[in-house]
Amino acid sequence: MAASRLELNLVRLLSRCEAMAAEKRDPDEWRLEKYVGALEDMLQALKVHASKPASEVINEYSWKVDFLKGMLQAEKLTSSSEKALANQFLAPGRVPTTARERVPATKTVHLQSRARYTSEMRSELLGTDSAEPEMDVRKRTGVAGSQPGSEKQSAAELDLVLQRHQNLQEKLAEEMLGLARSLKTNTLAAQSVIKKDNQTLSHSLKMADQNLEKLKTESERLEQHTQKSVNWFLWAMLIIVCFIFISMILFIRIMPKLK
């Protein structure tokens, strides 16, 4: 199915945003954030469009838009370590946006951002200019005889600190993954318990309805039995009264009058 005009516009704007994200931008640059906001609006409109693409394509667009949005939020953080940690949890797109791309542009932007934040962390730890390229730092610290022994030791300590920081990030990611798995397990267990409780409640309600029907039936039988007992008692009383009345008359007739 041919792409709609809305989808074509979204692809053009997405490609433009990816190109802007790959370039070096000024801190006061505001156009990319506005473009990403427009992408979100276009994506929402595409989801309800009459000729919307397949769900896999829409998911890919959503991943790329979320990646750009998360990248902009990470750039607003103050610490380079926080930026690196936020960048680590971003998920770039898996499919190129245009046919001219061999590798998804968002993946390239992700790698560039990771390298830039790592260079910033090195610069902060070494106390050098943050704009200095990372490769130059490696060359200056790696050439034998070009720097004093204290700076070589500082470079070794810096690598150790970065390794510890990376291990801490990996440990944090593993803990978050473990928490997510634990939450999923607890959710499934709670769902199973709730399902069993619902079945037990349904069975109890069914038994209560059956007992209520039985109670109504027995109440009707008891009422009928009570009415029958009362009728027999009334007839017996009437017979006894009549017998006593007739006996009194006969007694009066038969017995002589007292003088």
Side-chain angles (χ1 to χ4, degrees), residues 229-249:
S229 300
V230 171
N231 292 334
W232 282 107
F233 181 74
L234 289 176
W235 282 108
M237 291 297 294
L238 288 174
I239 291 172
I240 293 173
V241 170
C242 293
F243 177 76
I244 294 173
F245 179 74
I246 293 172
S247 299
M248 290 295 296
I249 293 175

Side-chain angles (χ1 to χ4, degrees), residues 2-155:
S4 61
R5 182 179 298 273
L6 178 60
E7 185 179 358
L8 292 176
N9 293 335
L10 186 142
V11 171
R12 292 193 187 100
L13 184 57
L14 180 59
S15 179
R16 175 59 179 163
C17 290
E18 290 174 347
M20 292 180 64
E23 298 173 354
K24 186 177 181 180
R25 291 171 284 110
D26 295 332
D28 297 334
E29 177 64 39
W30 55 270
R31 291 181 298 172
L32 181 58
E33 187 172 359
K34 295 296 183 181
Y35 289 167
V36 173
L39 277 176
E40 290 181 334
D41 297 337
M42 295 173 68
L43 182 61
Q44 294 298 327
L46 184 63
K47 290 180 180 180
V48 297
H49 197 266
S51 57
K52 63 180 181 180
S55 59
E56 294 81 4
V57 179
I58 293 181
N59 291 335
E60 183 67 25
Y61 292 154
S62 300
W63 286 335
K64 292 180 179 180
V65 173
D66 292 339
F67 171 79
L68 293 173
K69 185 178 178 181
M71 186 196 68
L72 292 175
Q73 292 177 353
E75 290 179 352
K76 295 179 180 179
L77 299 175
T78 56
S79 174
S80 58
S81 59
E82 294 177 353
K83 293 180 181 179
L85 182 60
N87 181 264
Q88 186 176 357
F89 291 102
L90 295 179
R94 298 176 295 179
V95 181
T97 304
T98 60
R100 295 176 297 178
E101 299 177 0
R102 294 184 179 180
V103 180
T106 51
K107 184 175 292 186
T108 304
V109 173
H110 190 221
L111 295 175
Q112 290 177 352
S113 302
R114 181 184 298 177
R116 183 171 66 253
Y117 296 146
T118 304
S119 177
E120 290 179 1
M121 284 194 298
R122 285 178 175 272
S123 300
E124 288 181 0
L125 292 173
L126 287 175
T128 58
D129 188 7
S130 60
E132 192 173 3
E134 180 185 359
M135 296 302 296
D136 294 341
V137 175
R138 288 182 178 272
K139 289 180 180 179
R140 288 198 304 272
T141 56
V143 178
S146 61
Q147 298 218 4
S150 60
E151 293 189 1
K152 291 182 180 180
Q153 185 179 0
S154 300

